């Protein structure tokens, strides 16, 4: 019985395969005509986002908490307690002042002696890795 079903299905597939090959050629212009209509519907369906009247954005309290830098980090940014955002700003000021940003790949920082101590002895550090390494020196 299973062989009879397979035999019955095979002839049905062959004629069906020939017909769709002819139909897509006829449908292509119709699809192209429908696409702009769909795009027009989508743009009409979009509504302007409702704006919040919250005023000024509140900073995250965790970023604003004063942290004490380690002795190695204090050599670069100073030893007074300051928030993480200020530490990052001061490190970038130090990097730009001493021209430690890589000239070819601007995402890399070429560490001098002071920064090598902060970066755990690494000579080159990406700017994304830098924040991770600096956070180890904040208490």
């Amino acid at each position: 019985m299973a062989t009879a079903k397979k035999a019955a299905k095979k002839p049905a597939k062959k004629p069906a395969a020939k017909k769709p090959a002819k139909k897509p050629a006829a449908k292509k212009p119709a699809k192209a005509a429908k696409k702009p209509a769909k795009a027009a519907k989508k743009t009409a369906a979009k509504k302007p986002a409702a704006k919040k009247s919250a005023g000024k954005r509140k900073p995250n309290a965790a970023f604003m908490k004063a942290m004490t830098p380690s002795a190695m980090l204090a050599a670069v940014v100073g030893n007074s307690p300051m928030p993480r955002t200020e530490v990052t700003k001061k490190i970038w000021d130090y990097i730009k002042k001493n021209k430690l940003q890589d000239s070819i790949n601007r995402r890399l920082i070429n560490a001098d002696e002071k920064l090598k101590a902060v970066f755990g002895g690494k000579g080159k550090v990406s700017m994304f890795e830098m924040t991770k390494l600096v956070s180890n020196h904040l208490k």
Side-chain angles (χ1 to χ4, degrees):
M1 291 182 108
T3 55
K5 286 183 182 177
K6 286 182 183 177
K9 286 183 182 178
K10 284 183 183 177
K13 285 184 182 177
K14 287 182 183 177
K18 289 180 184 176
K19 288 182 182 178
K22 293 178 185 176
K23 287 183 181 178
K27 286 185 178 179
K28 283 182 183 176
K31 284 183 181 177
K34 288 181 182 178
K35 284 183 181 178
K38 285 182 182 178
K41 286 180 185 176
K42 285 182 182 178
T43 54
K46 289 182 181 177
K47 294 180 182 177
K51 292 184 180 180
K52 294 180 182 178
S53 59
K56 205 168 184 181
R57 199 175 137 245
K58 291 183 181 179
N60 188 346
F63 288 121
M64 302 314 289
K65 181 183 173 189
M67 311 274 295
T68 308
S70 68
M72 291 179 268
L73 184 59
V76 178
V77 298
N79 59 0
S80 63
M82 63 186 87
R84 288 176 187 272
T85 53
E86 284 298 315
V87 171
T88 305
K89 284 179 188 177
K90 289 193 176 193
I91 289 174
W92 272 110
D93 290 341
Y94 180 83
I95 290 167
K96 289 177 182 175
K97 183 178 104 181
N98 295 315
K99 297 180 182 173
L100 298 174
Q101 200 170 4
D102 194 52
S103 59
I104 297 166
N105 187 353
R106 306 288 288 170
R107 288 181 286 183
L108 291 179
I109 296 147
N110 300 321
D112 63 351
E113 292 305 314
K114 288 182 181 179
L115 283 179
K116 267 189 184 178
V118 175
F119 296 158
K122 292 185 177 183
K124 281 191 178 187
V125 175
S126 73
M127 61 174 67
F128 306 108
E129 190 180 4
M130 177 189 74
T131 54
K132 180 179 122 181
L133 294 169
V134 167
S135 68
N136 296 333
H137 293 276
L138 294 172
K139 296 176 189 172

